[in-house]
Amino acid sequence: MQIEDIAHLVSGQEFDNLHRVSEITLEGVELETVRHIYQVMHNSKGDTYKVRDFGDQFVIFSNAYMTSFLTNLALIAMVDSREINRDFGVSNAKLARGLAKKFFAEQLFVHQDTRMARVLFLETLIEYDKYLREIIAFRTRMPELEHSTDTFASLVTDFMHNHELGHVFSREKQFVAYMQAARKLLTEQSEFATIYPDGNETLEEEVAADIFGLITVLGAYRNRISGLRLKEYLKFMFETATRLQVLFVLADDIHALNQNPDHPRTELDAKLSVWQLREWAVMEFLRRYEFGEGSIIPVEKDDLLSLNIELSGIADISTSDLAEPENESSRMLAELIAQGFEENAGFDCVIEGTRGIRILHRP
């Protein structure tokens, strides 16, 4: 299948790198309201996984962009785990800050090619790129680390995909149970009742889709990953994803303020509260989920490395200081290079050029 085959369903959508287009077939699942489900796999900054509803047809946009950032954060945490404990000469907090700033700069750039976006992006390359490249190279030389990060990336991809499928199934009668579970969890939070006294069906559906995605991947990976690692990896995935989603929201807010200084800050606060409530509900669901005859029985042991969000450094990041310079010299150099693109297009090529692994060959 080619993108042209569903052009009428993807109008207005832009892709940095389009990988594959296919139709999803669900064996053994009967749907009353859905006729076709298409999947578009791509890697595009400034976008997440999402689904478009066209009545009896759905398109799931599977974006590897978010997955790659989450996997890099997992990689940082794994090399500092008790099993490896390798020192690369820079703290995890600084590496995570560099990745977060790079992510944030790319979101700003998607909105508008500004000097601020270029400077922040270049600063991360100058300060942190060499360390991240060393860690990635180390990963290729250590099968256990490569296997663990690949498994984590696969788990993230499958969860994101099944979360979007949850939205596809939201009109089916089988989905009612997930909505009920989501509503029960959310109403336990006093903040939810305060902010949404009449409920919030959109948030409830998001949490229901999260629960659907979690249950699906828990079952799919039970023969490959132990119960301990399953919960550990999924918890890490959601906590880090929440922090990156906050950066999406923050970039949107800064762009809106640049366009309109009177832009209300209440919109930012409302979006952040949604993500906080959603994260709490998912973490609580995982905490309460018990393995056994009534659910799933995962393998007792696996060969995966431990994954602790505290070791990723992402928990220490303050969004309020992402625009602050790393140091005077790197900021000065970044500003000089950024100035060269002031009236010249092409900085997008710089961003895209950093995505591949650069290997230097000796003559």
Side-chain angles (χ1 to χ4, degrees):
M1 175 176 283
Q2 301 298 318
I3 193 68
E4 290 79 13
D5 297 327
I6 57 170
H8 60 296
L9 302 178
V10 297
S11 59
Q13 180 72 36
E14 296 182 358
F15 309 103
D16 292 344
N17 296 287
L18 179 63
H19 299 317
R20 185 160 60 88
V21 180
S22 60
E23 182 168 2
I24 298 172
T25 56
L26 303 171
E27 296 182 5
V29 178
E30 293 186 8
L31 301 176
E32 296 179 359
T33 62
V34 181
R35 185 162 54 94
H36 295 290
I37 308 171
Y38 302 102
Q39 182 179 33
V40 178
M41 301 183 71
H42 66 110
N43 189 324
S44 306
K45 58 186 176 296
D47 207 354
T48 61
Y49 273 70
K50 63 185 180 185
V51 63
R52 279 188 179 178
D53 181 350
F54 296 92
D56 62 348
Q57 298 183 89
F58 288 80
V59 180
I60 294 176
F61 295 92
S62 302
N63 190 1
Y65 177 76
M66 174 76 82
T67 307
S68 65
F69 269 93
L70 295 178
T71 304
N72 281 336
L73 288 167
L75 175 60
I76 290 171
M78 286 179 185
V79 296
D80 202 28
S81 64
R82 61 181 179 275
E83 298 98 330
I84 298 180
N85 195 24
R86 177 68 178 264
D87 183 8
F88 284 89
V90 63
S91 71
N92 286 1
K94 284 191 173 182
L95 275 176
R97 173 186 164 84
L99 280 172
K101 180 180 279 192
K102 182 173 182 283
F103 184 90
F104 179 57
E106 290 182 7
Q107 306 323 307
L108 291 176
F109 184 82
V110 167
H111 284 296
Q112 189 175 359
D113 182 355
T114 63
R115 179 178 292 189
M116 179 183 180
R118 297 193 301 271
V119 167
L120 294 181
F121 182 87
L122 289 166
E123 193 173 45
T124 64
L125 291 186
I126 295 166
E127 282 295 305
Y128 303 112
D129 191 62
K130 60 182 178 182
Y131 299 113
L132 188 58
R133 298 291 165 179
E134 287 177 12
I135 294 173
I136 291 173
F138 175 72
R139 170 187 175 274
T140 62
R141 300 193 301 270
M142 189 169 187
E144 188 178 11
L145 180 58
E146 190 169 36
H147 171 57
S148 296
T149 50
D150 284 348
T151 300
F152 175 78
S154 177
L155 191 72
V156 171
T157 300
D158 286 343
F159 168 79
M160 298 286 190
H161 174 72
N162 282 286
H163 169 90
E164 300 306 337
L165 275 179
H167 287 298
V168 173
F169 300 154
S170 63
R171 294 191 308 227
E172 302 290 321
K173 60 178 181 291
Q174 302 98 314
F175 200 73
V176 172
Y178 296 99
M179 287 293 287
Q180 291 173 340
R183 190 173 296 116
K184 184 177 183 298
L185 277 170
L186 287 168
T187 52
E188 290 179 15
Q189 266 283 63
S190 58
E191 187 181 354
F192 178 77
T194 302
I195 300 174
Y196 307 110
D198 299 321
N200 184 321
E201 192 169 339
T202 300
L203 176 56
E204 290 169 8
E205 184 180 316
E206 286 294 339
V207 174
D210 287 333
I211 294 173
F212 176 83
L214 289 171
I215 290 176
T216 303
V217 297
L218 283 166
Y221 284 81
R222 68 185 185 278
N223 295 325
R224 296 169 52 189
I225 308 178
S226 67
L228 173 66
R229 290 287 180 264
L230 271 171
K231 285 195 174 186
E232 193 175 80
Y233 278 33
L234 288 169
K235 184 173 183 288
F236 183 97
M237 172 199 71
F238 211 90
E239 288 184 324
T240 49
T242 297
R243 284 156 178 80
L244 292 185
Q245 289 288 354
V246 167
L247 296 181
F248 268 123
V249 173
L250 189 60
D252 291 345
D253 192 65
I254 288 176
H255 176 69
L257 283 170
N258 287 336
Q259 300 298 308
N260 175 19
D262 297 324
H263 172 69
R265 298 290 294 181
T266 51
E267 289 187 20
L268 174 63
D269 295 337
K271 290 177 181 177
L272 294 181
S273 69
V274 165
W275 272 102
Q276 290 167 351
L277 286 166
R278 185 175 164 187
E279 180 183 352
W280 180 89
V282 168
M283 292 300 103
E284 191 63 15
F285 174 83
L286 281 173
R287 187 184 70 79
R288 298 178 188 179
Y289 188 87
E290 295 183 0
F291 299 113
E293 294 295 338
S295 55
I296 65 165
I297 302 176
V299 294
E300 292 186 7
K301 293 183 179 180
D302 56 47
D303 54 357
L304 298 171
L305 297 172
S306 59
L307 191 50
N308 186 336
I309 191 166
E310 300 302 326
L311 294 179
S312 73
I314 192 73
D316 301 324
I317 291 175
S318 171
T319 56
S320 62
D321 65 355
L322 283 180
E324 295 298 316
E326 298 301 310
N327 57 62
E328 187 176 345
S329 60
S330 62
R331 175 56 62 93
M332 186 179 297
L333 179 57
E335 287 181 343
L336 285 171
I337 299 172
Q339 190 173 357
F341 289 90
E342 195 68 27
E343 296 181 4
N344 299 287
F347 193 77
D348 194 52
C349 295
V350 177
I351 294 176
E352 290 302 312
T354 65
R355 301 208 185 285
I357 303 300
R358 299 187 294 276
I359 301 175
L360 301 180
H361 297 281
R362 292 184 178 180

